[in-house]
Amino acid sequence: MISIHNLKDPSGPILFDGGFGAALQHRGLTSGTPPETWNIARPEEVRKLHAEFVAAGSAIIESNTFGANSCRWHASGERAPLGLVIHEACRLAASAADAKAVVAASTGPLGDVLEPYGELSREQGKHAFREQYSMLKSEGIRVLLIETMMSLDEALLALETAKEVGFDAVGVTMTFEPGPHGPRTAFGVAPAEAARRLSEAGANIVGSNCGSGFDTMRIVAAEFLEHAGVPVLIQPNAGIPVVGADGPMYPETPESFGEFLQELYETGVRLLGGCCGSGPEHIACAKAALRRHSVGGHRINI
Amino acid sequence: MTPEFDELQTALIGGNHVRTAEMTQSFVTSGATPQDILEKGLLPAMQVVGRRFRDGEVFLPEVLVAARAMKSAMAVLEPLLAAAKYQSKGKVVLGTVKGDVHDIGKNLVGVMLRGAGFEVVDIGTGCAAEKFVDAVRKHQPHVLGLSALLTTTMTYMKTVIDTLRSSGMDVPVIVGGAPVNAEFAQQIGAAGTARTAGDAVELVHRLIPQA
């Protein structure tokens, strides 16, 4: 099993897992139902998906807790107590990790916009982050990932709160879309700015997840590598989904996804995983691709 | 855009809600009709913001502050429009679908529709299909608008439309949100979709011909 020290100072590639919610939908979770509800309703499916990622080569797996913050959870009308949802999520991930993988917590934005642009006060936002992170910490989580952030204000508030709660490592990844002046988040944040500000604010890992396909992610990753003072984590979607009546279809195959992660590794990205549309087979292909290519004449041990 | 409203439009596009409300009030005081202020001043300015957002020239913060300025102007104009018995052009129910808590796009469409003279009933976020059915039964809207930001929740729009149709309701449904496109709208049986809130108003106009 990799150590937290490896994560903060990786010498070779470290594989994370793929997109959890979209994979659960592929397995029967209906659209409109939060993926976290399956921690209680279908625990065997959640555990199985984690286990498949571990078997595919994920050294880090992420708990099914992305939307388990009080703002988002209660707005979606769910009644199950958050503490129970988070407890079950961590238990299932730890059971599937089976001492072969590290369990990191997946967390996301609050779903409301912070003042001054939105109605949510900093105090309310901080309270919601603190509640979720404290619950995760009390379940034994040592690595916290703050993902799919679009507002730098909110990302910095989440990071500050996570550091106060106290984890061995905190990672922050943001989501970018292509634009006329290069990739930006929906709030207009450029990758270079995100990399600098988040590194300076004490993130142990910075990078990007989700987003708009490989071409944009290639640019985003290069900017993070140039401007981040800490290891970079890149977790792309399996391409830009084409959404039909039956749900999203992701265009990248496990093979093309694996080749792309290998390409990112060659450019210097050490922490690699996937987001929406990437399942265990994508991670398995990434592992195979990383093994196949030797970089600088050295075989990669992964 | 009409030159006389230049300053008002600049205030709105810049998101200065205090100045926007003040200038709206001073136009009213100097005798401009609320309809002119809206249709020649405020709405074209909001359309500029919508186009710049679509084209990646401005981002959500700029859109949110402009929408707030628009709301502050509407607070001045709405009592006058009501007093003038400015007749509603039609009724629209809006909601974000189940599993999705995002409401920026929906709120913006609501602001623009109200500004264009439609009556808007906003039933909130995370709405199950049954909630849309109940709202359509209760409010009898001319058009129903569904919003979703996530690729994982937008397919729930089909569930809503299917539920409406199986309940015997034929209200035209429009769908919106970053990942939504015309092919998707057509596949799920929606009457249409729009890229910006301004385009959504045009779409509603087309669907309610007398409007």
Side-chain angles (χ1 to χ4, degrees):
Chain A
M1 189 160 81
I2 64 133
S3 70
I4 308 266
H5 176 74
N6 293 149
L7 201 56
K8 289 174 164 178
D9 187 16
S11 50
I14 298 179
L15 265 179
F16 286 55
D17 60 9
F20 214 81
L24 288 184
Q25 283 198 336
H26 198 60
R27 292 161 189 230
L29 174 73
T30 54
S31 174
T33 306
E36 296 82 7
T37 57
W38 271 28
N39 296 336
I40 291 164
R42 302 283 299 275
E44 70 291 349
E45 283 292 334
V46 172
R47 190 192 175 284
K48 185 163 164 275
L49 180 55
H50 281 312
E52 287 176 27
F53 276 122
V54 175
S58 297
I60 311 264
I61 59 170
E62 299 187 33
S63 60
N64 184 26
T65 50
F66 177 80
N69 65 64
S70 58
C71 285
R72 196 180 273 263
W73 192 246
H74 300 309
S76 54
E78 293 302 327
R79 295 211 177 82
L82 265 187
L84 178 65
V85 171
I86 286 176
H87 170 78
E88 286 301 303
C90 295
R91 182 182 69 79
L92 293 165
S95 152
D98 192 26
K100 293 199 262 306
V102 169
V103 177
S106 167
T107 70
L110 298 172
D112 286 328
V113 180
L114 284 174
E115 286 176 343
Y117 304 116
E119 309 292 325
L120 191 71
S121 74
R122 288 182 65 82
E123 291 68 33
Q124 288 169 317
K126 186 145 192 158
H127 176 82
F129 283 134
R130 184 186 299 280
E131 178 189 48
Q132 184 187 24
Y133 302 166
S134 301
M135 285 173 176
L136 288 162
K137 190 182 181 187
S138 71
E139 296 296 336
I141 292 292
R142 294 170 64 197
V143 179
L144 185 86
L145 297 174
I146 298 163
E147 304 179 303
T148 326
M149 299 307 271
M150 298 176 191
S151 150
L152 195 50
D153 275 350
E154 186 181 0
L156 289 166
L157 183 68
L159 173 60
E160 172 191 298
T161 312
K163 293 196 76 76
E164 287 164 10
V165 171
F167 293 92
D168 292 342
V170 179
V172 187
T173 57
M174 301 190 75
T175 298
F176 300 88
E177 295 158 24
H181 310 293
R184 296 286 185 275
T185 72
F187 280 73
V189 184
E193 184 189 7
R196 266 197 305 269
R197 298 280 302 278
L198 294 167
S199 303
E200 284 165 14
N204 305 108
I205 296 165
V206 297
S208 181
N209 72 293
C210 212
S212 301
F214 292 175
D215 291 341
T216 304
M217 197 57 114
R218 194 174 276 124
I219 302 167
V220 169
E223 285 202 34
F224 266 92
L225 286 170
E226 187 180 343
H227 298 280
V230 293
V232 173
L233 167 64
I234 301 290
Q235 305 209 73
N237 284 351
I240 303 169
V242 180
V243 185
D246 300 324
M249 292 284 298
Y250 292 86
E252 301 293 349
T253 62
E255 291 73 23
S256 62
F257 183 88
E259 289 299 318
F260 182 59
L261 290 203
Q262 197 281 329
E263 176 197 326
L264 289 175
Y265 177 74
E266 282 195 9
T267 67
V269 180
R270 291 290 171 265
L271 311 179
L272 299 151
C275 201
C276 307
S278 63
E281 59 280 22
H282 296 75
I283 298 301
C285 281
K287 180 172 174 168
L290 285 161
R291 275 195 167 158
R292 234 182 355 259
H293 295 257
S294 53
V295 178
H298 299 289
R299 257 193 81 78
I300 299 168
N301 287 313
I302 179 171
Chain B
M1 296 207 278
T2 319
E4 62 174 312
F5 291 115
D6 268 357
E7 271 188 73
L8 173 64
Q9 290 172 331
T10 304
L12 187 144
I13 292 168
N16 187 335
H17 65 101
V18 176
R19 180 104 181 108
T20 304
E22 280 171 5
M23 294 199 61
T24 301
Q25 184 60 59
S26 78
F27 273 112
V28 169
T29 310
S30 65
T33 68
Q35 285 91 329
D36 271 1
I37 301 172
L38 255 177
E39 287 164 14
K40 297 181 183 164
L42 300 169
L43 289 174
M46 281 301 289
Q47 270 155 358
V48 169
V49 176
R51 275 200 300 273
R52 288 185 185 170
F53 179 67
R54 181 197 61 200
D55 296 341
E57 292 166 21
V58 300
F59 297 92
L60 277 181
E62 291 84 354
V63 173
L64 290 167
V65 293
R68 181 181 304 171
M70 178 74 187
K71 265 174 109 167
S72 71
M74 288 305 289
V76 174
L77 295 181
E78 263 169 353
L80 301 169
L81 293 166
K85 300 217 184 326
Y86 185 56
Q87 204 178 351
S88 162
K89 289 181 182 165
K91 194 190 272 187
V92 182
V93 168
L94 297 178
T96 302
V97 300
K98 188 173 172 225
D100 206 319
V101 300
H102 300 92
D103 63 359
I104 294 171
K106 166 180 69 61
N107 294 349
L108 203 58
V109 170
V111 167
M112 292 294 280
L113 283 172
R114 282 193 187 98
F118 293 92
E119 183 183 350
V120 175
V121 180
D122 186 337
I123 62 168
T125 63
C127 299
E130 298 71 35
K131 190 169 176 181
F132 284 105
V133 168
D134 291 346
V136 169
R137 186 171 292 130
K138 182 174 167 197
H139 301 289
Q140 300 287 322
H142 298 91
V143 173
L144 172 67
L146 309 181
S147 176
L149 178 69
L150 309 173
T151 51
T152 48
T153 54
M154 59 190 279
T155 47
Y156 191 77
M157 291 171 159
K158 180 174 189 292
T159 307
V160 175
I161 294 175
D162 291 348
T163 309
L164 286 164
R165 301 304 178 236
S166 67
S167 310
M169 294 172 170
D170 58 0
V171 59
V173 179
I174 60 171
V175 293
V180 175
N181 60 28
E183 292 80 33
F184 173 75
Q186 194 189 4
Q187 277 182 38
I188 65 166
T193 183
R195 288 310 306 161
T196 70
D199 294 346
V201 173
E202 282 175 29
L203 176 60
V204 171
H205 268 287
R206 282 202 301 278
L207 293 171
I208 311 178
Q210 69 273 26

